[in-house]
Amino acid sequence: MSNLDQARVASRSTETTRAALIKAATSVFAEYGYGGGSVRLITQRAMANQAAVNYHFGGKDGLYREVLMAATRAFEENAFLDAEELDSLSPEDALRRYLHQFLLPLVKRDRVSRFLRIFAWESVQPSEVFSAFIANSPPRIFHLAEGVVRRFLPQDASAETVTFATLWLAQQPMFFVRDAERLAQPPFSLKFDEDALERLVDTLAGLSLRGLARV
Amino acid sequence: MSNLDQARVASRSTETTRAALIKAATSVFAEYGYGGGSVRLITQRAMANQAAVNYHFGGKDGLYREVLMAATRAFEENAFLDAEELDSLSPEDALRRYLHQFLLPLVKRDRVSRFLRIFAWESVQPSEVFSAFIANSPPRIFHLAEGVVRRFLPQDASAETVTFATLWLAQQPMFFVRDAERLAQPPFSLKFDEDALERLVDTLAGLSLRGLARV
DNA sequence: TTCCGCTTCAAACGCGCGTTTGAATTTCAA
DNA sequence: TTGAAATTCAAACGCGCGTTTGAAGCGGAA
């Protein structure tokens, strides 16, 4: 008992530091990606010592794994988008819902949006940590695009075609999420408020559904 | 005259070193991007001294500018794809030609393919050097996607719509070019020979033209 | 109060990076 | 051949990175 109590109480301050580090790491990695985010910046934002990362998580990679686990948990707790919910919609509405949810980080800066930004980074330059992470427990979020695409493709579509189309669809919102800041500046000067988000969803959904020929 | 001769002859060996550095830098930056490519690797491949980069180009950024200038020159000398050639084709064929040319690096490893890979890197993480470079002399290559897209969009399409659609189209081949190596491994295991390239062009052109609804 | 594990802390380590340095070497006009 | 300019070279510099170190601080048990 005494051991347990001590562990419990001691872990109170431990949990405070751990939570602060995970929160700071989430925002830093969302901003700069895993490779671009530094331990020094993370500990600075968490108001913790640099060595705390190694003490509590064994290193930068361990902290990142913790962030990825939190992200997976958030997505699987239906905090984001559920495959069953998509199935209940028409294919067209499922596509629009998919695009809308993945483009949300353009206008919201909440926890889930930061997780999405991290995934957007990993979609263009996967870290070894991430690759190993999804190899062990592939997150459901990756099946969403395939699920949406499959409802449009014929049953006998080749696996290669399905892969092409899935990658094609998944990339579309990722690009805008990842590069939102850059697109806000010249020569593009795209400002994303909620109306612009709806127009972007409309445009992307139209392009995805009917292609250029019908825009 | 004597000064000129001296400069000319001296520049013979100079040009040898410069050319070797530019060639090595092109392949290194194509493989790892500007930030990921190191001066040490470049000089090693060029069999030159590390200090040569600073001596001849003033630094890593100056060398990169030289590579970008060579790329711009290659593209403007019709070594790649000409806007007028695209205009001479039907919109559908122009789109297919655009996609085909931008996907060529998947099967070819020539000079132009390396330039395209560099552009693919810059499309996701623009370096300051690149941003400054295109600010001074925007390369024609960037107008190609807009030119293709515009022929499908109605005349009165808003500037925002044109931008959305242009970015959307430009991203599609970039993704496959940039991540070819990763896509070759599980879980995707995509092998790109010339046949696969044609199928990818078909798929992307179909998706771009008619969307998911008609695949 | 004393002691002992847990946690924090400032400092330093080792590494790779782009760059600088100053001497050695090469080049070529005079 | 000579001397000055251009070029090459090995070595080192300064910086930021992730990580390690060992002492200091802290809190609860005896």
Side-chain angles (χ1 to χ4, degrees), chain A residues 10 13-14 17 40 49 51 55-56:
Chain A
S13 126
T14 292
T17 304
R40 279 169 172 81
N49 189 272
Y55 179 78
H56 287 288

Side-chain angles (χ1 to χ4, degrees), chain A residues 89-98 151-152 205 209-210, chain B residues 213:
Chain A
L89 300 173
S90 71
E92 290 77 11
D93 286 342
L95 174 68
R96 286 186 56 89
R97 181 118 178 75
Y98 173 90
R151 299 181 58 186
F152 289 98
L209 275 174
R210 295 177 303 276

Side-chain angles (χ1 to χ4, degrees), chain A residues 101-140:
Chain A
Q101 285 301 97
F102 273 88
L103 288 170
L104 267 185
L106 289 175
V107 294
K108 286 178 80 173
R109 297 204 176 184
D110 57 3
R111 192 159 155 270
V112 170
S113 289
R114 294 194 193 95
F115 290 149
L116 279 177
R117 270 185 210 273
I118 289 176
F119 278 83
W121 279 107
E122 291 290 347
S123 80
V124 296
Q125 35 179 231
S127 62
E128 291 186 12
V129 183
F130 184 80
S131 301
F133 182 79
I134 66 171
N136 294 339
S137 61
R140 294 191 193 174

Side-chain angles (χ1 to χ4, degrees), chain A residues 81 86 94-102 144-145 148 169-170 173:
Chain A
L81 186 57
L86 283 183
L95 174 68
R96 286 186 56 89
R97 181 118 178 75
Y98 173 90
L99 290 173
H100 185 268
Q101 285 301 97
F102 273 88
L144 290 177
V148 171
L169 174 61

